[in-house]
Amino acid sequence: MPTKTILSPGQRAAIFDPPGDRNTVERFYTLGADDLIQVCRRRRGANRIGYAVQLCYLRYPGRALFPSEQPPREMLDLLATQIGGSAEEFARYAERAPTLREHRAELETYLGLRPFERPDLRAMLALGIEVATSTDRGEPIVATMVERLRHARVVVPAASTLERLALIARAQARRVAHKGLIRDLTPEQEAALMYLIDPGEQGRTGLGWIREWSEAPTAANFKAVVERLDRVRSLEVEPERARRIHAARYAVIARVAGIVTAQALRRMERRRRLATLVAFAIELEAALTDAALLMVEKMVGSLLRRADRTRSERLLGEARLLKDTARVHARLGRLLIEARASGRDPLRAIDDRIGWELLERSVRFAEELTRGSEDGLEEVVQRYPEVRRFAPTLFNAFTFRAARPGDPLLGAVDALRRMYRDGRSVLPKRVPTTFLRPRWRKVVFPGGGEVDRRAYEVAVIIHLRERLASGGVWVDGSRAYRTLDDYLLPEAAYVAMRDEGGLDLAVPSSFADWHTERRAAAVRRMSEVERAAAAGELFDVVIAGDELTVSPLRRAVPDEADELKIRLYALLPRVRVTDLLVEVAAWSGFADAFVHARSGEPASDQAALMGTILADATNLGLGRMAESSRGLTLSRLRWTAEWHVRDETYLSALASLVDTHNAHPLGRVWGSGELSSSDGQFFRAGGRGEARADLNARYGSEPGVLFYTHVTDRFTPFHTKVIAANAGEAAHVIDGLLDHESELVIREHATDTAGAVDHVFGLCHLLGFRFAPRIRDLNERRLYGLAALDPWPTLRPLVAGPVNIRAIEENWDETLRLAASIKAGTVSASAMLKKLAGYPRQNPVARALREIGRVERTLFMLDWLDDPEQRRRTGSILNKGEARNALARAIFFNRLGELRDRTFENQRHRASGLTLVTAAVALWNTVYLERAVEHLRSTGAKVPDELLAHVAPLGWEHVGLTGDYLWSEIDRPRGRFRPLRTAAVERRP
């Protein structure tokens, strides 16, 4: 039976073996004068180089040289050069076994080292347990042991010794964590937890029932979620138990709890089983709470949209009725005017010419037309039966909180809760109404009289939804609906970071310094653009009064670039997508990022891993992938998907691909790698996925979602997320710039008009990104001033007014706290922007951020007018993102690109898999395009970089995306590149 290990071969080599690359070898293994004297005391050449190798091994990686071990060639060559010998002489070293031991003992004395002894076992075990408290991954545990031994000048023992200690330490840390989670559980709680995995007579466990719920926003599904939440709450597992152990260790247990089956839980040892169930209860209580509240948010949103459609249909009908009514009233008016002029009796004229019956009917129609409210709230109130289906359950299931004591909205919630509980249909005589907006007061108090109960109930639900979205009201047990302050850095931590200069923001912490610098920049740029505009020197820009016209840029891609693209892609070898993934994994190591949810080890079943990724990327799903793959079973795919494929592993794998692609020398012809763009790509939803999707008229009448993806100017996608089709894209711009794990350093980012809002300009400025969107309605956007406008008469008509400096100054600290929290990762930019936008009256921080954004948008618009290169650069990077979308659409081919996943998690995996495979195709194409370029240049053809810059690595005609998926050669990756199709090119006329 093979020995159990905690490290993969690659991890073991990285920790215990000497480096093999030239730069690192020179850094570690350049000998000093004393070293050379020590080495040269050996008489034979083989002993000299062998002695030098042992010296270097004991220094780094800190272990002894094994008998018959072959050091890296780079190391031997460097040492041979230093001591004046030959690398080949090492083969004759230590022909006598005692030589190796004698040299090692002498070198340990020379270097001040001592051997690894029994007391060190206990010390390393204690250290391993300490590290394993926060991680299950073997690499950091063993690496910390090795680092401690090097620091203590102890010779590092064999890898197997430390791996055994790490395994023991990890097992001990797990036991301690399990014990901490289940401490103080009552017998009743234990029995209730164990009952969750009891299949009972019907064969279905409570665990399975709780995990399965529909995300479609309906009243029935909402009640089903609350029913499951009540079941979890009945377990009475306190969320505070999670704080008893290290957060990272708890995260591992919680991850397993979300995956493991009831059958597997029944096989576990008691403490581990109970600890996993405790984590399950804690996580599911929060998840179900958030799922229920999100469902309410979507139901209310759907109610408002349907009410708006009803109002639109009513207005269309009224428009036809209005024409007839207006015709009668026009005749009436004309008749009265004529009667006045002629002195005829108007009443007799009405009776003769119009008829009183027709006039009375017309007046009734007019009264009906003017009775309805202009804001459509009456149509909303007419949807009351939909609200009543879920409102009692909502108020009974959740406890709402607000910062203000006696908040009138929460008082209204309590009043309705009591009314529903008592089964009454009449409101109390006095109910809170001060929370109502003015437009709602007209509906709740029709004619200024008593409260309309139905309108009041609907108003409470809608106001509650708005306050939940903004963070003004929060819910006990929720993670997504918390108080706004919970998302930010603690006040004390922020102040300490600010005073120590550790905010890591792109602006000074002093408002005065910021204001002085930005005012000077604005004055300088206004003066420069004013001079150019007055002289008519702005390229393709015309300013006529308050009208601004910017002509579109002409096509900058020469015909020769298209011809070069055809020639290069004709040379690329044909490849199956399965082989492409295997080759790219060998170059980038992205497969190693898909680690096991518990052990942290890379996936051993590479075929199943690649099949799972491809199932997401092509929209096939695991079942269809199993049918289309030779040798892959559905059970293997499901196990791999559950234990290795997660959001965080997809993100790490993508980072490996991005870094490999960004380091490729051909990438320099496409861009610096410091520019990026983002855009949303719409995918229709159908089947079970249709219920949780949203409508957006921009994409037609069918529901769907957006895959919002960030792409570098080297065509590499480096971040993606799924957002609702009707959600604003602007809130998600900054997430991708901060949340990727690659080594990219993005300095400038572009979006289309949908992302160009002032709050994003402001946040990008604070965080150190230059925001450069393409603004379609530029003539409708105004500049804002930081100084008197008299020196700039040409630009003055384009200025809407001054920047509200007071709003920025009064909220400068809180705005910096918000930006620092986003930079530190305590909250995402999208979450905060949506919270701030949800305030019924603009939040002071949102107002300050908007004013900062106006400053930055003004400076950007001045650059846009004055610098045609800025316009070209933005247009170019946006075109690269659109070109990637075409490749994504081709890969995501199954079901005609229609999403049928009913859970948001599966949709996220679809988006992540698609982004990963598009990045893999781009990298594979880049590698072979370089070889194709070298081939053409070797034949004397001219391939200038100026033309090559227009050849994107996004072609897919040579990639076999469909058919049977073969994984037979996955364990035998190619040792060399595929041959180019030079013969096919030579046959071209």
Side-chain angles (χ1 to χ4, degrees), residues 241-307:
R241 287 181 178 271
R243 301 193 185 99
R244 295 180 179 181
I245 62 177
H246 195 283
R249 168 61 58 188
Y250 174 78
V252 172
I253 299 173
R255 238 183 353 249
V256 173
I259 299 170
V260 69
T261 64
Q263 184 181 15
L265 279 166
R266 289 195 294 270
R267 292 197 299 264
M268 288 182 183
E269 177 266 334
R270 173 186 167 276
R271 278 188 298 191
R272 181 185 171 192
R273 178 169 62 244
L274 284 173
T276 305
L277 288 170
V278 165
F280 168 82
I282 294 171
E283 294 302 303
L284 259 291
E285 182 171 354
L288 289 166
T289 299
D290 290 341
L293 294 172
L294 177 61
M295 205 171 284
V296 169
E297 186 177 333
K298 284 181 170 289
M299 283 190 290
V300 176
S302 176
L303 178 150
L304 293 174
R305 286 193 298 273
R306 289 198 297 274

Coordinates of all heavy atoms in Angstrom, one line a residue, residues 241-307:
R241 N -20.7 29.9 17.7 CA -19.8 28.8 17.7 C -18.7 28.9 16.7 O -17.6 28.4 16.9 CB -20.6 27.5 17.5 CG -21.4 27.1 18.7 CD -22.2 25.8 18.5 NE -23.0 25.4 19.7 CZ -22.5 24.7 20.7 NH1 -21.2 24.2 20.6 NH2 -23.2 24.4 21.7
A242 N -19.0 29.5 15.6 CA -18.0 29.6 14.5 C -16.8 30.3 14.9 O -15.6 30.1 14.4 CB -18.6 30.2 13.3
R243 N -16.9 31.2 15.9 CA -15.8 32.1 16.4 C -14.9 31.3 17.4 O -13.9 31.9 17.8 CB -16.3 33.4 17.0 CG -17.2 34.2 16.1 CD -17.4 35.6 16.6 NE -18.3 36.4 15.8 CZ -19.6 36.5 16.1 NH1 -20.1 35.9 17.2 NH2 -20.4 37.2 15.3
R244 N -15.3 30.1 17.7 CA -14.4 29.4 18.7 C -13.2 28.9 18.1 O -12.2 28.5 18.8 CB -15.2 28.2 19.3 CG -16.5 28.6 20.1 CD -17.2 27.4 20.6 NE -18.3 27.7 21.4 CZ -19.1 26.8 22.0 NH1 -18.8 25.5 21.8 NH2 -20.1 27.1 22.7
I245 N -13.1 28.7 16.8 CA -12.0 28.2 16.1 C -11.5 29.2 15.0 O -12.2 30.2 14.7 CB -12.3 26.8 15.4 CG1 -13.3 27.0 14.3 CG2 -12.7 25.8 16.5 CD1 -13.6 25.7 13.6
H246 N -10.3 29.0 14.5 CA -9.7 29.9 13.5 C -10.7 30.0 12.3 O -11.3 29.0 11.9 CB -8.4 29.3 13.0 CG -7.6 30.4 12.3 ND1 -7.8 30.7 11.0 CD2 -6.5 31.1 12.7 CE1 -7.0 31.6 10.6 NE2 -6.2 31.9 11.6
A247 N -10.8 31.2 11.8 CA -11.8 31.4 10.7 C -11.4 30.6 9.5 O -12.4 30.1 8.8 CB -11.8 32.9 10.3
A248 N -10.2 30.4 9.1 CA -9.8 29.6 8.0 C -10.1 28.1 8.2 O -10.6 27.4 7.3 CB -8.3 29.8 7.7
R249 N -9.9 27.7 9.4 CA -10.3 26.3 9.7 C -11.8 26.1 9.7 O -12.3 25.1 9.1 CB -9.7 25.9 11.1 CG -10.2 24.6 11.7 CD -9.9 23.4 10.9 NE -8.4 23.3 10.7 CZ -7.9 22.4 9.9 NH1 -8.7 21.6 9.2 NH2 -6.6 22.3 9.7
Y250 N -12.5 27.0 10.2 CA -14.0 26.9 10.1 C -14.4 26.9 8.6 O -15.4 26.2 8.3 CB -14.6 28.1 10.9 CG -16.1 28.1 10.7 CD1 -17.0 27.2 11.4 CD2 -16.7 28.9 9.8 CE1 -18.3 27.2 11.2 CE2 -18.1 28.9 9.6 CZ -18.9 28.0 10.3 OH -20.2 28.0 10.1
A251 N -13.8 27.8 7.8 CA -14.2 27.9 6.4 C -14.0 26.5 5.7 O -14.8 26.1 4.9 CB -13.3 28.9 5.7
V252 N -13.0 25.8 6.1 CA -12.8 24.4 5.5 C -13.9 23.5 5.9 O -14.5 22.8 5.1 CB -11.4 23.9 5.9 CG1 -11.3 22.4 5.5 CG2 -10.3 24.7 5.3
I253 N -14.2 23.5 7.2 CA -15.3 22.6 7.7 C -16.7 23.0 7.0 O -17.5 22.2 6.6 CB -15.4 22.7 9.2 CG1 -14.1 22.2 9.8 CG2 -16.6 21.9 9.7 CD1 -14.0 22.4 11.3
A254 N -16.9 24.4 6.9 CA -18.1 24.8 6.3 C -18.2 24.4 4.8 O -19.3 24.1 4.3 CB -18.3 26.3 6.4
R255 N -17.1 24.5 4.1 CA -17.0 24.1 2.7 C -17.4 22.6 2.6 O -18.2 22.2 1.7 CB -15.6 24.3 2.1 CG -15.7 25.2 1.0 CD -14.4 25.5 0.3 NE -13.2 25.0 0.9 CZ -12.2 25.8 1.4 NH1 -12.4 27.1 1.5 NH2 -11.1 25.3 1.9
V256 N -16.9 21.8 3.4 CA -17.2 20.4 3.4 C -18.6 20.2 3.7 O -19.3 19.3 3.1 CB -16.3 19.6 4.4 CG1 -16.7 18.1 4.5 CG2 -14.8 19.7 3.9
A257 N -19.2 20.9 4.7 CA -20.6 20.8 5.1 C -21.5 21.1 4.0 O -22.6 20.5 3.9 CB -20.9 21.7 6.3
G258 N -21.1 21.9 3.1 CA -21.9 22.3 1.9 C -21.9 21.2 0.8 O -22.7 21.3 -0.1
I259 N -21.0 20.3 0.9 CA -20.8 19.3 -0.2 C -21.2 17.9 0.2 O -21.8 17.2 -0.5 CB -19.3 19.3 -0.7 CG1 -18.9 20.7 -1.2 CG2 -19.0 18.3 -1.7 CD1 -17.4 20.9 -1.4
V260 N -20.7 17.5 1.4 CA -20.8 16.1 1.8 C -22.2 15.6 1.9 O -23.2 16.3 2.2 CB -20.1 16.0 3.2 CG1 -20.9 16.6 4.3 CG2 -19.8 14.5 3.5
T261 N -22.4 14.4 1.6 CA -23.7 13.7 1.6 C -24.0 13.2 2.9 O -23.2 13.0 3.8 CB -23.8 12.6 0.5 OG1 -22.8 11.6 0.9 CG2 -23.4 13.1 -0.9
A262 N -25.3 12.9 3.1 CA -25.8 12.3 4.4 C -25.1 10.9 4.6 O -24.8 10.6 5.7 CB -27.3 12.2 4.4
Q263 N -25.0 10.2 3.5 CA -24.4 8.9 3.6 C -23.0 9.0 4.1 O -22.5 8.2 5.0 CB -24.5 8.2 2.3 CG -24.0 6.8 2.3 CD -24.0 6.1 0.9 OE1 -24.2 6.8 -0.1 NE2 -23.9 4.8 0.8
A264 N -22.2 9.9 3.5 CA -20.8 10.1 3.9 C -20.7 10.6 5.4 O -19.9 10.2 6.1 CB -20.1 11.1 3.0
L265 N -21.7 11.4 5.8 CA -21.7 11.9 7.2 C -21.9 10.7 8.2 O -21.3 10.7 9.2 CB -22.8 13.0 7.4 CG -22.4 14.4 6.9 CD1 -23.7 15.2 6.8 CD2 -21.4 15.0 7.9
R266 N -22.8 9.8 7.8 CA -23.0 8.7 8.7 C -21.8 7.8 8.9 O -21.7 7.1 9.9 CB -24.2 7.8 8.1 CG -25.6 8.5 8.3 CD -26.7 7.6 8.0 NE -26.7 7.0 6.7 CZ -27.4 7.6 5.7 NH1 -28.1 8.7 5.9 NH2 -27.4 7.0 4.5
R267 N -20.9 7.8 7.9 CA -19.7 7.0 8.0 C -18.6 7.7 8.8 O -17.6 7.1 9.2 CB -19.1 6.7 6.6 CG -20.0 5.7 5.9 CD -19.3 5.1 4.7 NE -18.8 6.1 3.8 CZ -19.5 6.4 2.7 NH1 -20.6 5.9 2.4 NH2 -19.0 7.4 1.8
M268 N -18.7 9.0 9.1 CA -17.7 9.8 9.8 C -17.6 9.4 11.3 O -18.6 9.0 11.9 CB -18.0 11.3 9.6 CG -17.7 11.9 8.3 SD -18.0 13.7 8.3 CE -17.7 14.0 6.5
E269 N -16.5 9.7 11.8 CA -16.3 9.6 13.3 C -17.2 10.6 14.0 O -17.5 11.7 13.4 CB -14.8 9.9 13.6 CG -14.5 9.8 15.1 CD -14.5 11.2 15.7 OE1 -14.3 12.2 14.9 OE2 -14.8 11.3 16.9
R270 N -17.7 10.4 15.2 CA -18.8 11.1 15.8 C -18.4 12.6 15.9 O -19.3 13.5 15.5 CB -19.0 10.6 17.2 CG -20.0 11.4 18.0 CD -20.1 10.9 19.5 NE -20.8 11.9 20.3 CZ -20.2 12.9 20.9 NH1 -18.9 13.1 20.7 NH2 -20.9 13.8 21.6
R271 N -17.3 13.0 16.4 CA -17.0 14.4 16.6 C -16.9 15.1 15.3 O -17.4 16.3 15.1 CB -15.7 14.6 17.4 CG -15.8 14.4 18.9 CD -14.6 14.8 19.6 NE -13.4 13.9 19.2 CZ -12.3 13.9 19.9 NH1 -12.1 14.7 20.9 NH2 -11.3 13.1 19.5
R272 N -16.3 14.5 14.3 CA -16.2 15.2 13.0 C -17.6 15.3 12.4 O -17.9 16.3 11.8 CB -15.3 14.4 12.0 CG -15.2 15.0 10.7 CD -14.4 14.1 9.7 NE -14.4 14.6 8.4 CZ -14.0 13.9 7.3 NH1 -13.5 12.7 7.5 NH2 -14.1 14.4 6.1
R273 N -18.5 14.3 12.5 CA -19.8 14.3 12.0 C -20.6 15.5 12.6 O -21.3 16.2 11.9 CB -20.5 13.0 12.2 CG -21.9 12.9 11.7 CD -22.5 11.5 11.7 NE -22.5 10.9 13.1 CZ -21.8 9.9 13.4 NH1 -21.0 9.3 12.6 NH2 -21.9 9.4 14.7
L274 N -20.6 15.5 13.9 CA -21.3 16.6 14.6 C -20.8 18.0 14.3 O -21.6 18.9 14.1 CB -21.3 16.4 16.1 CG -22.2 15.3 16.7 CD1 -21.9 15.0 18.2 CD2 -23.6 15.6 16.5
A275 N -19.5 18.1 14.2 CA -18.9 19.4 13.9 C -19.3 19.9 12.5 O -19.6 21.0 12.2 CB -17.4 19.4 14.0
T276 N -19.3 18.9 11.5 CA -19.8 19.2 10.2 C -21.2 19.7 10.1 O -21.6 20.6 9.5 CB -19.5 18.0 9.3 OG1 -18.2 17.6 9.3 CG2 -19.9 18.4 7.8
L277 N -22.1 19.0 10.9 CA -23.5 19.3 11.0 C -23.7 20.7 11.7 O -24.6 21.4 11.3 CB -24.3 18.2 11.7 CG -24.4 16.9 10.9 CD1 -25.0 15.8 11.8 CD2 -25.3 17.1 9.7
V278 N -22.9 21.0 12.7 CA -22.9 22.3 13.3 C -22.6 23.4 12.3 O -23.3 24.4 12.2 CB -22.0 22.4 14.5 CG1 -21.8 23.9 14.9 CG2 -22.5 21.6 15.7
A279 N -21.6 23.2 11.5 CA -21.2 24.2 10.5 C -22.3 24.3 9.4 O -22.6 25.4 8.9 CB -19.9 23.8 9.8
F280 N -22.9 23.1 9.1 CA -24.0 23.1 8.1 C -25.2 24.0 8.6 O -25.7 24.8 7.9 CB -24.5 21.7 7.9 CG -25.8 21.6 7.2 CD1 -25.8 21.6 5.8 CD2 -27.0 21.4 7.9 CE1 -27.0 21.5 5.1 CE2 -28.2 21.3 7.2 CZ -28.2 21.4 5.8
A281 N -25.5 23.8 9.9 CA -26.6 24.6 10.5 C -26.3 26.1 10.5 O -27.2 26.9 10.1 CB -26.9 24.1 11.9
I282 N -25.1 26.5 10.9 CA -24.7 27.9 10.9 C -24.8 28.5 9.5 O -25.4 29.6 9.3 CB -23.3 28.1 11.5 CG1 -23.3 27.6 13.0 CG2 -22.8 29.5 11.4 CD1 -22.0 27.6 13.6
E283 N -24.2 27.8 8.5 CA -24.1 28.3 7.2 C -25.5 28.4 6.5 O -25.9 29.3 5.8 CB -23.2 27.5 6.3 CG -21.7 27.6 6.8 CD -21.2 29.0 6.8 OE1 -21.3 29.7 5.7 OE2 -20.8 29.5 7.8
L284 N -26.3 27.3 6.7 CA -27.6 27.3 6.1 C -28.6 28.3 6.7 O -29.4 28.8 6.0 CB -28.2 25.9 6.2 CG -28.1 25.0 4.9 CD1 -28.9 25.6 3.8 CD2 -26.6 25.0 4.4
E285 N -28.4 28.6 8.0 CA -29.3 29.6 8.5 C -29.1 31.0 7.9 O -30.0 31.7 7.5 CB -29.1 29.7 10.1 CG -30.0 30.7 10.7 CD -30.0 30.7 12.2 OE1 -29.3 29.8 12.8 OE2 -30.6 31.6 12.8
A286 N -27.8 31.3 7.7 CA -27.5 32.6 7.0 C -27.9 32.5 5.5 O -28.4 33.5 5.0 CB -26.0 32.9 7.2
A287 N -27.6 31.4 4.9 CA -27.9 31.3 3.4 C -29.4 31.3 3.2 O -29.8 32.0 2.2 CB -27.3 30.0 2.9
L288 N -30.2 30.6 4.0 CA -31.6 30.7 3.8 C -32.2 32.0 4.1 O -33.2 32.5 3.4 CB -32.2 29.6 4.7 CG -32.0 28.1 4.2 CD1 -32.4 27.2 5.3 CD2 -32.8 27.8 2.9
T289 N -31.7 32.7 5.1 CA -32.1 34.0 5.4 C -31.9 35.0 4.2 O -32.8 35.7 3.8 CB -31.4 34.6 6.7 OG1 -31.7 33.8 7.8 CG2 -31.8 36.0 7.0
D290 N -30.7 34.9 3.7 CA -30.4 35.8 2.5 C -31.2 35.4 1.3 O -31.7 36.3 0.6 CB -28.9 35.7 2.2 CG -28.1 36.4 3.3 OD1 -28.6 37.2 4.1 OD2 -26.9 36.1 3.4
A291 N -31.4 34.1 1.1 CA -32.2 33.6 -0.1 C -33.6 34.1 0.0 O -34.2 34.5 -1.0 CB -32.1 32.1 -0.2
A292 N -34.2 34.0 1.2 CA -35.6 34.5 1.4 C -35.7 36.0 1.2 O -36.6 36.4 0.5 CB -36.1 34.1 2.8
L293 N -34.8 36.8 1.7 CA -34.9 38.2 1.6 C -34.6 38.6 0.1 O -35.3 39.6 -0.4 CB -33.9 38.9 2.5 CG -34.2 38.7 4.0 CD1 -33.1 39.3 4.8 CD2 -35.5 39.4 4.4
L294 N -33.7 37.9 -0.5 CA -33.5 38.2 -2.0 C -34.7 37.9 -2.8 O -35.1 38.6 -3.7 CB -32.3 37.4 -2.5 CG -31.9 37.6 -4.0 CD1 -31.6 39.0 -4.3 CD2 -30.8 36.7 -4.4
M295 N -35.4 36.8 -2.4 CA -36.6 36.4 -3.1 C -37.7 37.5 -3.0 O -38.4 37.8 -3.9 CB -37.1 35.1 -2.6 CG -37.9 34.3 -3.6 SD -38.2 32.6 -2.9 CE -36.7 31.8 -3.3
V296 N -37.8 38.1 -1.7 CA -38.8 39.1 -1.5 C -38.4 40.4 -2.4 O -39.2 41.0 -3.0 CB -38.8 39.5 0.0 CG1 -39.6 40.8 0.2 CG2 -39.4 38.4 0.8
E297 N -37.1 40.7 -2.4 CA -36.7 41.8 -3.2 C -37.0 41.6 -4.7 O -37.5 42.5 -5.3 CB -35.1 42.0 -3.1 CG -34.6 43.2 -3.7 CD -33.1 43.4 -3.5 OE1 -32.6 42.9 -2.4 OE2 -32.4 44.0 -4.3
K298 N -36.8 40.4 -5.2 CA -37.2 40.1 -6.6 C -38.7 40.1 -6.8 O -39.2 40.6 -7.9 CB -36.5 38.8 -7.0 CG -35.0 38.9 -7.3 CD -34.5 37.5 -7.7 CE -33.1 37.6 -8.2 NZ -33.0 38.3 -9.5
M299 N -39.4 39.6 -5.9 CA -40.9 39.6 -6.0 C -41.4 41.0 -6.1 O -42.3 41.3 -6.9 CB -41.5 38.8 -4.9 CG -41.4 37.3 -5.0 SD -42.4 36.3 -3.9 CE -41.6 36.7 -2.3
V300 N -40.9 41.9 -5.2 CA -41.4 43.2 -5.2 C -41.0 43.9 -6.5 O -41.8 44.7 -7.1 CB -40.9 44.0 -4.0 CG1 -41.3 45.5 -4.0 CG2 -41.4 43.4 -2.7
G301 N -39.8 43.7 -6.9 CA -39.3 44.2 -8.2 C -40.2 43.8 -9.4 O -40.6 44.6 -10.2
S302 N -40.5 42.5 -9.4 CA -41.4 42.0 -10.4 C -42.8 42.6 -10.3 O -43.4 42.9 -11.4 CB -41.5 40.4 -10.3 OG -42.4 39.9 -11.2
L303 N -43.3 42.8 -9.1 CA -44.6 43.4 -8.9 C -44.6 44.8 -9.5 O -45.5 45.2 -10.2 CB -44.9 43.4 -7.4 CG -46.2 44.1 -7.0 CD1 -46.7 43.4 -5.7 CD2 -46.0 45.6 -6.6
L304 N -43.5 45.6 -9.2 CA -43.4 46.9 -9.7 C -43.4 47.0 -11.3 O -44.0 47.8 -11.9 CB -42.2 47.6 -9.1 CG -42.3 47.9 -7.6 CD1 -41.0 48.5 -7.1 CD2 -43.4 48.9 -7.3
R305 N -42.6 46.0 -11.8 CA -42.5 46.0 -13.3 C -43.9 45.7 -13.9 O -44.3 46.2 -15.0 CB -41.5 45.0 -13.7 CG -40.1 45.5 -13.5 CD -39.1 44.6 -14.2 NE -39.1 43.2 -13.8 CZ -38.4 42.7 -12.7 NH1 -37.6 43.5 -12.1 NH2 -38.5 41.5 -12.4
R306 N -44.6 44.7 -13.4 CA -45.9 44.3 -13.9 C -46.9 45.5 -13.7 O -47.7 45.7 -14.6 CB -46.4 43.1 -13.2 CG -45.7 41.8 -13.6 CD -46.5 40.6 -13.3 NE -46.7 40.4 -11.9 CZ -45.9 39.8 -11.1 NH1 -44.8 39.3 -11.5 NH2 -46.1 39.7 -9.8
A307 N -46.8 46.2 -12.6 CA -47.7 47.3 -12.4 C -47.4 48.4 -13.5 O -48.3 49.1 -14.0 CB -47.5 47.9 -11.0

